[in-house]
């Protein structure tokens, strides 16, 4: 339990650090700004107390062993803490390079839930599954408890001394010192690194595990802008995606999903968008497209060229190199080009292929369509991925040649995720000084001499500028759990500065943003409000149309050439490989997070590991069943063995495999789950291509059944997910099902009738709701074997159905949770009244009364009830976050941890409902519509889920419930659900 | 003095005279009591060893399950019941034959029942014990099983759900067990007296003495006693029907396609009688061989039971047909899909085995040669047991594993623990039964005597 | 006080039946008859009137039925009304099965209890008149012997006539 004690030390330190408190009072706007419930205008007292906590938290020294010994939980209550009342701190997500703005909910001083920051104009109130899960990574017991020197725990002082010495030595020897970092979101950190760059021989290399360097390269070449374009999907009436999973993982999925969903509702003011997707593997994005066209990865260039040619010809441009389109579906290309052309100026072509020529063509297409300045913003560019593949390759050579005197690794794990990871490891041995800021002894850090663990982002100060002119701040929500130190503090210290990144951050903001604004007179006021809001946006530059400076015809020609070569040399017995970043564990950094491992892939519904997704035709030709292990050869003598997943809609003769699995040093949960395929990426012209040709697939005869949460994929002609087209919707139709007659007299209702409406047109199936619910409701992780047995515990699941041919099916998704039926079939069958109906429309489950007959589960037509087959908490059989004291800290104290043998299910976040009602009653008013949000609704980046009071005719949910698209699943059974679905509309 | 001369007088007066009937009566007593006086035979010992082993296996499995969690079974989020409730319904069904033979046939004055009703009732008791085990251990938290009783408590108003068929089960099974037990015991009182008076002295005499409650064969008691038996039979008859109707309502009152049908109560009762008679036949043929009682368990008995199985088996077959017809008739896509899956889906092989055992096989019983062949009937009775177990499994699992939302469709595979538990229940059943035939009069002595007298009477009238 | 009985043992139920009939015809009071099994027509011969056990059954059953229904109403409607699947608090039909089971249970147990009490059957009870073999293959008829209003000779005679194989005169405190 030592860990538990440590956790309290922040509060203890708070009490201990009276002098800091005094300092804080002098500088009373310093430190954190908490949002308690709905942010009130903070009183001075708040400021003082928060200041105290903030300073204490900022000071890493507060986490000293001595304090641990003295720690007595809550003996004297810290002032800003009211037990049972959550504090909200605005911060910035460190889950991926998108750097979304967040609110972290802390209870009794510990963060337990991540939510989006509704004030952000870029990201909105939504989050992604990965962001939701980052709070669990904070309590990951695989994190280092302190710095290591040569694998042994050491004192920071010693380590700092050694490193300073070696850096000096390197300077004397005129050796290079390289800092290899992830994309740095924060201007302050960038500034800090810039200061390092003044040192002779220092080199900063930005390395993204999953690279989009070619896009940046092409943008530089095409428009002379050295950044990624900022795509505006909300401005696009026609969207054509090529091998780009922009709703799932590409660049900034939360932002894109939000903007995309804005134009997927037929009711929305702006016309509903049309989306055509060209791709090989079925991505989350492709599964949402109005039209999904199956191509092989190698064809993405010719698709881009095909579109470009057509657009150019429509513009009357001439001399467009021709390309052999025999392998492509010309009609579709024509149609797509027509759509784009008709919507020129408000259309958008995006491409995920990491190939400069292809990206060049896409830029050209957008330029010819006049999208530059409308849907493609080159003035407020995206700074979310700045990786430079070529530089890293050069560095590895230099390291191998012994020309590098120091290597500092910040947030990167190249030994695991670089194509030549083993070379990197070998080269590291030639470097005299190797330092890693990794939070765990990962594949790379284990080769480093010094490991100086960085804080988790929820423990650290920081800032971010994901999109030019949109700034956000990150503040500690808890004092560091372990003896870790912010990487920035380390960098400051080794630069000979005082390790006070908090001060540095403030100074940077003072010098730049504060002086650039006029609204606030004093910096503290400015700082305080920015910190409270978490975001600070300066007025964006007016978007202008940038001319295309490069001659795209050259790229077109080379593409045409390479395509014809490829077509000529194409071997029809081999397969094309397509590597993609999965929605849950992303690039593998989150592999040790059980929530993400157990999150079903939005399309394949497979959990716990990656697989070789192949087309049904290939499967039947090779006689492969799902779960058969195949061996893939053709990558420099490497042989990869993976179980097969037969994926309807997968391009024939292609194999899609997810990156981010097969970690070996991530921790107990993530190690050995799946296979690492980063090494299969192809390094072409410096850029990492996540595709390659010439793969042979052979069956091994062995089997490894995939842990999938859904085994049947057809709706069997049942009207479960209702779907229509925009055209059909235009015709007037009386769709609303009449209320079925009931034998029973209506029962007296309470003042509320809580209900939910889910817009299937907006829902993309991204599954952020699933993880959000897991975090909010303490849903247990059961592990791969139990998922195989069909025992996952998720309260909300996203059902996925295919319709049409299995070669190119349409995909339908439907979030499914307890429907809170007005006449619930589960209730009358329980012998002990463990599940009954509340007066305000909730179907309640009484855990301590439940004896576990499972009759309710059998009688639930929606099969949304979950049974505790075992004791999932504190059970070595389920060695996940609920089995170690650290992981238990993420539990939501408002929700019971269910014991073995009881039934559980979605409660519509009854704890939030109660809190909302209480809040309203305390301030003597009725509950406002939208005041209470369920976890799934809050997390949804597409705003597809609306919760509210059906008894209030004016509420949003009531309006949607009355709307013409609304229907109830299995309405004919007379269950009278309180959850309404809105028919999915396709713009086809 | 007077007594002495009386005795002399009598001795002079009357030469001893043996009647045909009384000789037969004495023989009946001896025959039935013989196994209780002699030691166990090799056959019995072997059978007991097997049964006890099976019982131990079951105890092991159940202990492991209760210690670890229901998760050691093969159930999942979609299939919440499988082996557990299958076994429950199966054993309850077995039990019903006993009550039927002893009660309903008594009401119908079927003399032939007399030599088998005792063991049939015993079978009922043991079967109900096995059955009651499963609802208990299938609970997620069996240690809280007492929650299902509406006991007065200090937790504010806290009662049970009288609308739940599971609660009906609780009361039905308890009542059924109690009444069967009482009926059985009451039926044995006169025989205990016989054994008491037969026993020379010591342990046996004391135990039988206590058990016989001081029965002295007084005709006044006999006449009340027969009335009592008739009343209990009259109560047990509707009871047995109600019990299996209620069991069937566990399914019939749900909304699950394949469960939700009004046909279930009669269908289940017929099935129960069918399976029960199957089990009785199995047991009687076994005891007939093991205990050499072919004079009491005659081909006539087997023939009569075969006829009952012919009737009920045909009823069961008719029910199968009706289910499918109704599913087709009502036009609900869910119903149709369920029954289509049942006949063609992953469990189709089990389904057709069931049809063969329960609907087709009984038709062979139209032939008296089969009805009167002990070997054939034994094989058939085994088939009945298998078929009727499968019927419950099919109804429960095929209906559950693919219901309304295809997204939740899964398969179900039993684990070794579940199989072990089923084996254990058979172990429990046969252990009890084998002990019964060694320790208690397994044929109702007094009833056989009564029947024998009636016959003698009839003979003398002629 | 000790009473004396004349107990005649028969080996044949028909003989016994004759004996009982003639004895009653000649005005002897049949104290009781002992047999290993109920004998057809003996009740009439002895003039035993029909038992009243069925009334016990009826009353017990009726009471249990009323009590159970009442309890179910009290619990589900008055004491703890809940919204269970939208069903009415008073789901009368659903209350029937349990009420029925309780009726049968109470009726059965009450009848058995009444029988045991009336017949003075209880663990450890001693039968007042034990005649060897009446639980095996003998039948016995017992006549109460009264000092003056009882002609032992004629009684013996008719018993012998009807085929008694053994006659003893025995005293018992009952």
């Amino acid at each position: 339990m030592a860990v538990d004690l440590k956790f309290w030390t922040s509060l203890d330190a708070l009490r201990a650090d009276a002098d800091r408190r005094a300092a804080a009072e002098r500088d009373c706007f310093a430190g954190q700004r908490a949002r308690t419930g709905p942010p009130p205008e903070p009183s001075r007292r708040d400021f003082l107390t928060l200041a105290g906590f903030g300073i204490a938290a900022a000071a890493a020294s507060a986490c000293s062993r001595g304090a641990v010994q003295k720690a007595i939980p809550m003996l004297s209550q810290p002032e800003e803490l009211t037990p049972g009342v959550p504090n909200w701190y605005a911060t910035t997500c460190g889950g991926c390079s998108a750097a979304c703005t967040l609110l972290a909910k802390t209870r009794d001083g510990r963060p337990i839930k991540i939510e989006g920051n509704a004030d952000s104009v870029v990201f909105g109130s939504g989050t992604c599954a990965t962001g939701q899960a980052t709070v669990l990574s904070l309590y990951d017991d695989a994190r280092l408890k302190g710095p290591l020197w040569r694998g042994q725990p050491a004192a920071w002082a010693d380590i700092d001394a050694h490193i300073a010495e070696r850096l000096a030595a390197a300077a004397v020897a005129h050796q290079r010192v390289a800092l290899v970092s992830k994309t740095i979101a924060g201007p302050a950190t960038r500034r800090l690194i810039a200061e390092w760059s003044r040192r002779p021989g220092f080199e900063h290399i930005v390395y993204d595990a999953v690279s989009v360097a070619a896009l940046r390269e092409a943008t530089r070449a095409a428009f002379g802008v050295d950044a990624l374009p900022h795509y505006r999907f909300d401005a696009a009436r026609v969207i054509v995606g090529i091998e780009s999973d922009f709703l799932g993982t590409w660049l900034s999925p939360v932002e894109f999903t939000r903007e995309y969903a804005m134009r997927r509702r037929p009711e929305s003011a702006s016309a509903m968008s049309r989306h055509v997707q060209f791709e090989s593997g079925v991505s989350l994005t492709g599964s949402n497209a109005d039209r999904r066209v199956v191509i092989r990865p190698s064809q993405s260039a010719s698709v881009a060229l095909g579109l470009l040619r057509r657009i150019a010809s429509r513009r009357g441009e001439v001399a467009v190199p021709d390309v052999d389109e025999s392998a492509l579906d010309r009609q579709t290309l024509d149609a797509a080009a027509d759509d784009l052309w008709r919507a020129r100026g408000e259309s958008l072509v995006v491409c995920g292929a990491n190939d400069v020529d292809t990206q060049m063509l896409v830029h050209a297409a957008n330029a010819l369509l006049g999208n530059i300045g409308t849907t493609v913003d080159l003035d407020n560019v995206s700074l979310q991925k700045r990786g430079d593949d070529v530089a890293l390759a050069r560095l590895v050579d230099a390291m191998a040649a012994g020309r590098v005197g120091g290597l500092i690794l910040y947030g990167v794990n190249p030994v695991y995720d670089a194509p030549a990871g083993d070379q990197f490891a070998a080269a590291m041995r030639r470097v005299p000084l190797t330092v890693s800021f990794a939070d765990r002894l990962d594949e790379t850090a284990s080769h480093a001499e010094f490991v100086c663990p960085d804080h988790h982002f929820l423990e650290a100060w920081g800032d971010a500028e994901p999109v030019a002119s949109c700034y956000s701040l990150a503040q500690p929500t808890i004092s560091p759990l372990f003896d870790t130190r912010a990487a920035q503090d380390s960098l400051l210290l080794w630069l000979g500065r005082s390790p006070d990144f908090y001060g540095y951050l403030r100074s940077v903001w003072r010098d730049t943003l504060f002086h650039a604004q006029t609204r606030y007179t004093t910096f503290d006021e400015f700082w305080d409000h920015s910190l409270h809001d978490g975001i600070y946006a300066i007025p964006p530059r007016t978007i202008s149309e940038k001319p295309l400076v490069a001659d795209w015809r050259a790229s077109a020609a080379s593409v045409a050439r390479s395509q014809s070569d490829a077509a000529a040399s194409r071997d029809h017995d081999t397969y094309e490989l397509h590597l993609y970043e999965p929605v849950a564990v992303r690039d593998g950094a989150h592999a040790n997070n059980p929530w993400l491992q157990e999150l079903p892939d939005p399309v394949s519904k497979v959990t716990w590991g990656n697989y070789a997704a192949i087309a049904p035709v290939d499967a039947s030709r090779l006689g492969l069943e799902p779960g058969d292990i195949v061996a893939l050869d053709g990558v420099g003598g490497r042989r990869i063995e993976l179980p097969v997943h037969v994926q309807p809609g997968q391009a024939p003769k292609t194999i899609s495999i997810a990156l981010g699995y097969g970690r070996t040093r991530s921790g107990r949960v993530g190690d050995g789950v799946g296979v690492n395929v980063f090494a299969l990426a192809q390094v072409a012209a410096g850029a990492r291509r996540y595709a390659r040709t010439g793969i042979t697939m052979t069956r091994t005869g062995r089997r490894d059944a995939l842990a999938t949460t859904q085994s049947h994929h057809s709706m069997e002609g049942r009207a479960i997910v209702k779907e229509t087209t925009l055209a059909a919707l235009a015709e007037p139709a009386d769709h609303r099902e009449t209320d079925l007659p009931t034998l029973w007299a209506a029962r007296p209702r309470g003042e509320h009738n809580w209900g939910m409406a889910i817009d299937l047109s907006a829902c993309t199936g991204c599954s952020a709701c699933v993880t959000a619910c897991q975090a909010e409701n303490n849903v247990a992780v059961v592990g791969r074997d139990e998922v195989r047995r069909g025992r996952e515990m998720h309260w909300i699941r996203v059902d996925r159905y295919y319709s049409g041919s299995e070669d190119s099916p349409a995909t339908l998704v439907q979030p499914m949770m307890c429907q809170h039926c007005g006449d619930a079939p589960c209730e009358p069958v329980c012998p002990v009244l463990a599940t009954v109906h509340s007066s305000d429309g909730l179907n309640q489950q009484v855990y301590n009364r439940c004896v576990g007959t499972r009759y309710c589960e059998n009688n639930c037509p929606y099969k949304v009830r979950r049974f505790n087959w075992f004791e999932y908490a504190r059970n070595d059989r389920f060695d996940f976050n609920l089995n170690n004291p650290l992981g238990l800290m993420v539990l939501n104290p408002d929700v019971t941890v269910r014991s073995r043998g009881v039934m559980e299910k979605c409660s519509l976040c009854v704890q939030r409902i109660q809190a909302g009602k209480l809040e309203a009653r305390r301030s003597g008013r009725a509950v406002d519509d939208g005041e209470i949000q369920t976890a799934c609704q809050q997390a949804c980046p597409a705003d597809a889920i609306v919760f509210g009071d059906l008894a209030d005719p004016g509420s949003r949910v009531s309006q949607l419930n009355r709307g013409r698209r609304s229907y109830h699943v299995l309405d004919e059974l007379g269950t009278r659900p309180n959850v309404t679905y809105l028919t999915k509309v396709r713009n086809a | 003095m007077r007594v002495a001369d009386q005795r002399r007088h009598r001795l002079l007066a009357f030469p001893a005279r043996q009647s045909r009937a009384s000789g037969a009566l004495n023989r009946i007593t001896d025959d039935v009591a013989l196994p209780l006086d002699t030691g166990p035979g090799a056959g019995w010992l072997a059978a007991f060893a097997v049964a006890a082993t099976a019982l131990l296996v079951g105890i092991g499995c159940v202990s492991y399950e209760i210690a670890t969690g229901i998760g050691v079974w093969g159930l999942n989020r979609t299939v919440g019941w499988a082996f557990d409730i299958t076994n429950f319904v199966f054993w309850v069904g077995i039990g019903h034959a006993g009550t039927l033979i002893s009660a309903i046939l008594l009401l119908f004055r079927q003399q032939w029942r007399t030599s088998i009703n005792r063991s049939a009732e015993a079978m009922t008791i043991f079967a109900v014990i096995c059955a009651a085990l499963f609802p208990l251990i299938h609970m997620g938290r069996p240690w809280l099983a007492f929650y299902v009783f509406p006991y007065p408590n200090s937790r504010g108003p806290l009662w049970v759900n009288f609308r739940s068929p599971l609660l009906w089960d609780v009361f039905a099974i308890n009542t059924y067990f109690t009444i069967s037990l009482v009926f059985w015991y009451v039926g044995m009182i006169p025989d205990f007296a016989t054994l008491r008076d037969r026993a020379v002295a010591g342990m046996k005499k004391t135990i039988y003495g206590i058990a016989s409650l001081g029965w002295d064969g007084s005709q006044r008691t006999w006449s009340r006693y027969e009335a009592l038996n008739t009343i209990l039979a009259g109560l047990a008859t509707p009871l047995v029907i109600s019990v299996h109707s209620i069991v069937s309502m566990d399914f019939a009152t749900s909304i699950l396609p394949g469960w939700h049908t009004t046909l279930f109560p009669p269908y289940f009762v017929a099935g129960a009688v069918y399976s029960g008679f199957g089990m009785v036949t199995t047991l009687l043929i076994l005891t007939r061989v093991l205990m050499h009682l072919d004079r009491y368990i005659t081909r006539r008995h087997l023939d009569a039971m075969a006829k009952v199985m012919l009737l009920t088996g045909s009823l069961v077959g008719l029910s199968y047909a009706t289910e499918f017809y109704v599913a087709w008739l009502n036009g609900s896509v869910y119903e149709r899909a369920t029954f289509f899956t049942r006949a063609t889906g992953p469990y189709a092989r089990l389904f057709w085995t069931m049809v063969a055992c329960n609907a087709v096989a009984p038709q062979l019983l139209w032939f008296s040669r089969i009805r009167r062949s002990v070997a054939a009937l034994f094989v058939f009775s085994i088939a009945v047991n298998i078929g009727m177990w499968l019927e419950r499994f099919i109804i429960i699992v095929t209906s559950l594993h693919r219901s309304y939302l295809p997204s939740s469709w899964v398969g179900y595979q039993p684990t070794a623990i579940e199989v072990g538990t089923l084996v254990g229940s058979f172990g429990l059943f046969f252990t009890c039964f084998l002990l019964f035939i060694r320790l208690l009069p397994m044929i109702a002595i007094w009833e056989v005597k009564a029947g024998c007298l009636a016959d003698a009477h009839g003979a003398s009238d002629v | 006080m000790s009473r004396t009985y004349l107990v005649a043992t028969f080996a044949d139920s028909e003989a016994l039946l004759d004996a009982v009939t003639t004895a009653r015809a000649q005005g002897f009071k049949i104290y009781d008859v002992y047999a290993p099994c109920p004998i057809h027509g003996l009740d009439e011969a002895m003039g035993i009137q029909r038992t009243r056990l069925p009334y016990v059954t009826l009353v017990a059953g009726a009471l249990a039925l009323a009590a159970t229904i009442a309890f179910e109403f009290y619990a589900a409607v008055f004491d703890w009304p809940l919204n269970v699947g939208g069903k009415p608090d008073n789901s009368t039909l659903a209350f029937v099965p349990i009420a029925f089971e309780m009726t049968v249970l109470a009726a059965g147990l009450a009848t058995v209890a009444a029988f045991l009490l009336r017949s003075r059957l209880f663990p450890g009870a001693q039968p007042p008149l034990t005649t060897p073999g009446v639980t095996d293959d003998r039948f016995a008829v017992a006549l109460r012997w009264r000092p003056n209003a009882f002609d032992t000779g004629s009684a013996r005679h008719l018993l012998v006539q009807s085929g008694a194989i053994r006659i003893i005169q025995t005293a018992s405190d009952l």
Side-chain angles (χ1 to χ4, degrees), chain A residues 791-792 855 857 900 972, chain B residues 66 73 77 250 334 404:
Chain A
R791 294 177 183 170
E792 72 277 2
Y855 198 173
E857 176 192 21
R900 165 196 151 192
E972 64 271 37
Chain B
I66 290 179
W73 292 351
R77 59 170 145 75
D250 289 347
Y334 311 114
Y404 289 101

Side-chain angles (χ1 to χ4, degrees), chain A residues 222 305 308-309 311-313 315 317-321 357 360-365 367-368 548-559:
Chain A
L305 182 54
L308 179 58
R309 285 178 57 243
I311 291 158
S313 61
R315 268 178 64 122
E317 308 233 358
V318 286
V320 184
D357 284 332
M360 195 66 160
L361 300 180
V362 171
H363 280 325
L368 295 188
L548 193 62
V549 295
D551 174 20
W552 50 269
R553 286 184 177 74
S555 315
S558 74
V559 163

Side-chain angles (χ1 to χ4, degrees), chain A residues 97 178-186 189-190 193 202-209 384-389 391-392 395 407-414 417 424 435 437 454 487 491 688:
Chain A
S97 57
L179 168 67
V180 180
S181 81
K182 61 187 178 187
T183 296
I184 302 289
T189 312
R190 284 206 290 270
I193 292 171
F202 178 82
E203 181 183 19
H204 177 212
I205 293 159
V206 181
Y207 165 75
D208 294 317
Q384 286 158 316
K385 284 215 176 190
R386 308 173 62 81
D388 182 346
D389 303 1
L392 186 79
L395 175 70
L407 176 68
I408 304 174
L409 300 155
Y410 177 19
V412 293
N413 188 6
D417 54 29
F424 194 93
V435 185
F437 291 136
D454 187 9
L491 289 172
R688 269 173 281 155

